[in-house]
Amino acid sequence: MKRFGPSLFFVSLICFLPVMCVQSNESSIASEDEYLGQRPPGKSPEIFAPGIVSDSGWAEHCQIAISPIGNEIYWSAWTSAYPNKNGDNTEQIFYSEYRQGAWTKPAIPQFINNHLDNINGGPVFSPDGNRLYFYSVDRPGGLGDMDTWFVEKVDGVWSDPVNAGDVYNSQGIDWTPTFTQTGFAYRNFDCLLKYSIVDGKFLEPDTITISDQYIPKFPVYISPDESYLIFTEIKEDSFGGMDLYISFKNDSGAWDTPVNMGPAINTELHERFPVLSPDGKYLFFVRHTKPDQDIFWVSGDIINEIRAKNQQ
């Protein structure tokens, strides 16, 4: 079982239904209060929740996680507020929850309070919202340097972290998964892996090839019905660095050649960590703004537009 040390982890940091349909995860929050009460974006990406999520006091990292009913939002960021033993910044998870008609101030979740001198990041909700997955470095009881863990909600309270198991945590740097509504999970590092999930446990994965010419980098996003995949890559048609690409599954079940998501999404800066909101309305991603990084969001209609253009 090959393991990668912390040095590779830090090097790597440097280097549903289709959107046209409404998913069944209905929010109990009034529309004006959804998404931290932010004004929804149009077809041009905007910084998400400036001063709340996208804050100058930290550098957001990895995908944002929104609960299926929209009442909890988790994200992770590099921050100096919780230095490691050498005094360096660490990546930590933050969250806000909609309670009694208002969103709470960003805070550290209880389940990482005992591990704030190391890295915790990459939060991802399970499809039913009852589990929250995240990665953690050198957490006691882990199987390697960086493992994926999960907490489970019991009577409205998150449990202590549970290791996701040796089947999942045996493939190098264990980025958190992206889930489908069809009982599968995808994760990526050196290759794209597809896991079946039975009784909450990951089974031995299959290797998925999107294209011999495209190698997804960092965590990918798979649509709930597995009809398209969004990922980060650096290619000749990139706009200056890491760009977001999308591949649609064709009628025969094969993946079409990925296409750059275009200047509406990609810039001369780096874009990565894509994810759609549970209702499919918005695409979120991280852009390496200077001097740090910010989470952006944009109307999910852009996916249908790219799909239609790609089918012409």
Side-chain angles (χ1 to χ4, degrees), residues 150-162:
F150 68 86
V151 289
E152 200 150 18
K153 187 156 286 189
V154 180
D155 296 329
V157 178
W158 291 118
S159 69
D160 291 334
V162 178

Side-chain angles (χ1 to χ4, degrees), residues 46-48 53-54 60 64 75 284-286 294-297:
E46 300 177 9
I47 292 178
F48 177 65
V53 173
S54 299
E60 297 93 271
I64 194 169
W75 66 95
F284 290 82
F285 61 92
V286 169
D294 286 307
I295 293 175
F296 281 71
W297 63 330

